[in-house]
Amino acid sequence: MSRAIALIDGNSFYCSCERVFDPKLARVPVIVLSNNDGCAIARTAEAKALGIKMGDPFFKIREQCRRDGVRVFSSNYTLYGDMSARTNAVYRDFAPAVEIYSIDESFLDLSDVHPDRRGELARDLRATVRSWTGIPTCVGIGPTKTLAKLANHIAKSIPDLDGVCDLSDEDERAAWLCRIHVGEVWGIGRASLAKLEAMGVDSVADLRDLDPRPVRKAMTVVGERIIHELRGLSCLPLELMPAQRKGCAVTRSFSRRVTERAVLEQAVAAHATRLGEKLRRGGLGTSHLTVFYHTSTHDRGDPMRSVSTTVTLPEATNDTLALIAAARHGVDRTWREAPDDRPWRYSKAGVVTTDLMLLDASPRALIGQLDRKRSGPLMAAMDACNARFGRGSVVPARAGLAAKRTWSTKFEMRSPRYTTQVTELPTARA
């Protein structure tokens, strides 16, 4: 049977998650903002129709939102992540192999489904996801990932298709490819688009019919691979096991400008705490920690400062206490007192690591060896408490209690975390 890949994604996923728990939002323009309520990162069709663009700063569209009745929400990543897990649980009931590509997109292997039944299965999948989770979706099907992604775009763009587009048939696929602009192809960015347009490429069919060799010279092997994928030759297999992370970062903008060293140290300690949680989840460790913090270029008239330093640990670790000590050492190494009349007003800080390795296979230090026998059970107990009672229930004192962090990212319009916090469960009234 022919190979078939389906790409299913949630329509305006963040906004759809908000609508699931508030029926009053149906057919109302909705947008979701980035951290610190900065700019629009998700929009419903109604919001797009009002001219609100992706990345529009909220301070510029605040008045329009008030005037046009746009419902505005701060990002609620806890809710969105849990809803993503629920939708993927449904996908696994329909396909033997699922690759989670992003929080709202997944590739499914439908090769074992008869070609005549794939469209019916996709419609059943959409209906089941909507019934069980409340999330509306679209499904694109094709013999390769690139064609599945393109089919998904068509399914979203053409209402008559009822959210499903199958490009498995070669003749039907050819009819569509000549009607779609090449800029809609997965993997074609601005720079690549300019090169292709200079070569006379306008439609996806034009790109498919190019000689792969000059495209490889202009766009590297990625361009050649795209051409083969558009011709139905699969070059991108499903990645069922996520690749081992090579790096990890925890960075946040402050809700207010920070000028005090104690506040900055608490912030990087909190970021190191979150980094430790992420590393332990994958059984990974790191022996280098980069600490950075900087002022904002938007604060005109203020003195500018941006610093970064890397702290080396004696051996790889994911112990939160060791990571906090390294982060604080980074601040100690780079902190400078500013004149009273010209203070540095820091806008963002973070911790970054780029040398992750499996902790069990990492070499031990001859000098300064960390006590893993003590660290392991202690970190496991802290993680278990946070898993049971909610993240931040148990944290090192250096990181401060979440409720009392004056620098924390601003989420003034965040909805409740309906699915993960008992105290925030929705209440039904007769």
Side-chain angles (χ1 to χ4, degrees):
M1 209 172 305
S2 60
R3 176 178 172 82
I5 300 295
L7 176 69
I8 180 169
D9 74 336
N11 300 339
S12 303
F13 183 69
Y14 292 174
C15 297
S16 294
C17 290
E18 301 292 349
R19 281 177 163 173
V20 167
F21 299 95
D22 189 351
K24 295 179 181 178
L25 297 177
R27 295 180 294 279
V28 171
V30 178
I31 65 172
V32 173
L33 304 176
S34 61
N35 286 340
N36 278 320
D37 298 339
C39 58
I41 56 173
R43 307 155 295 154
T44 60
E46 295 85 355
K48 295 175 185 178
L50 293 173
I52 297 176
K53 298 180 176 58
M54 182 70 78
D56 276 353
F58 181 53
F59 76 89
K60 289 187 176 181
I61 60 174
R62 186 192 305 270
E63 180 57 29
Q64 179 189 1
C65 291
R66 185 197 63 77
R67 183 181 65 248
D68 293 336
V70 179
R71 291 294 304 274
V72 182
F73 291 89
S74 302
S75 47
N76 189 345
Y77 298 120
T78 302
L79 174 65
Y80 309 150
D82 187 67
M83 293 298 290
S84 175
R86 293 174 186 231
T87 58
N88 278 282
V90 180
Y91 303 159
R92 293 188 181 95
D93 287 341
F94 282 77
V98 176
E99 176 192 334
I100 301 175
Y101 178 66
S102 67
I103 193 171
D104 65 334
E105 293 179 293
S106 293
F107 288 102
L108 283 62
D109 189 352
L110 302 184
S111 300
D112 293 337
V113 181
H114 192 278
D116 293 339
R117 290 201 61 249
R118 288 169 187 161
E120 178 186 350
L121 178 72
R123 285 184 283 273
D124 187 19
L125 174 58
R126 289 187 71 236
T128 304
V129 173
R130 187 64 182 263
S131 176
W132 291 8
T133 69
I135 300 295
T137 58
C138 284
V139 182
I141 304 172
T144 68
K145 280 186 171 181
T146 301
L147 287 171
K149 188 88 169 174
L150 198 62
N152 182 273
H153 165 73
I154 297 171
K156 286 182 179 179
S157 306
I158 310 298
D160 291 344
L161 294 177
D162 196 26
V164 175
C165 178
D166 187 354
L167 295 182
S168 299
D169 181 78
E170 191 170 351
D171 292 336
E172 186 172 351
R173 183 164 70 241
W176 277 110
L177 297 192
C178 64
R179 298 162 55 185
I180 302 173
H181 188 262
V182 67
E184 300 296 341
V185 176
W186 184 34
I188 301 296
R190 289 184 180 179
S192 298
L193 180 60
K195 293 176 182 177
L196 290 173
E197 289 177 340
M199 298 167 69
V201 174
D202 181 63
S203 69
V204 179
D206 294 336
L207 175 59
R208 177 202 59 195
D209 297 336
L210 282 181
D211 183 342
R213 289 171 295 180
V215 175
R216 178 167 185 158
K217 287 184 178 180
M219 298 171 52
T220 72
V221 69
V222 174
E224 182 180 15
R225 187 168 59 204
I226 289 174
I227 291 178
H228 290 310
E229 287 252 325
L230 290 176
R231 293 176 179 177
L233 178 62
S234 178
C235 302
L236 299 170
L238 286 184
E239 298 178 5
L240 305 182
M241 293 296 293
Q244 180 182 316
R245 302 177 72 163
K246 300 299 182 183
C248 189
V250 180
T251 69
R252 298 287 187 274
S253 295
F254 299 132
S255 58
R256 66 173 181 83
R257 298 297 185 251
V258 169
T259 58
E260 307 88 358
R261 175 172 174 170
V263 176
L264 182 64
E265 287 181 338
Q266 185 185 82
V268 297
H271 298 341
T273 300
R274 179 66 181 131
L275 177 67
E277 294 174 1
K278 290 185 174 184
L279 298 189
R280 290 192 294 275
R281 192 180 302 154
L284 303 172
T286 183
S287 58
H288 296 85
L289 189 70
T290 298
V291 181
F292 77 87
Y293 50 98
H294 59 70
T295 57
S296 172
T297 56
H298 299 292
D299 294 340
R300 296 182 179 179
D302 284 356
M304 297 290 104
R305 187 168 190 250
S306 177
V307 295
S308 175
T309 186
T310 299
V311 179
T312 301
L313 293 95
E315 65 183 35
T317 184
N318 56 24
D319 183 295
T320 292
L321 301 182
L323 295 174
I324 288 178
R328 286 170 55 84
H329 181 63
V331 175
D332 182 63
R333 180 188 293 176
T334 56
W335 180 265
R336 299 289 183 273
E337 294 294 340
D340 292 338
D341 60 334
R342 298 278 287 173
W344 287 304
R345 302 170 67 244
Y346 297 108
S347 62
K348 187 175 184 177
V351 293
V352 182
T353 180
T354 57
D355 68 336
L356 298 184
M357 63 190 78
L358 291 172
L359 191 61
D360 292 342
S362 63
R364 303 303 307 272
L366 293 176
I367 300 175
Q369 190 175 97
L370 301 176
D371 187 357
R372 292 186 182 179
K373 289 184 178 180
R374 171 182 172 274
S375 168
L378 177 61
M379 294 299 105
M382 185 168 71
D383 291 342
C385 288
N386 288 327
R388 180 175 181 181
F389 300 107
R391 183 188 298 164
S393 298
V394 179
V395 296
R398 293 287 192 185
L401 296 176
K404 296 185 178 180
R405 294 172 183 165
T406 58
W407 50 268
S408 288
T409 304
K410 182 170 58 178
F411 297 101
E412 293 182 345
M413 295 167 284
R414 187 174 66 186
S415 57
R417 292 161 291 183
Y418 299 105
T419 62
T420 57
Q421 295 292 326
V422 173
T423 57
E424 298 179 18
L425 285 172
T427 302
R429 294 182 176 86

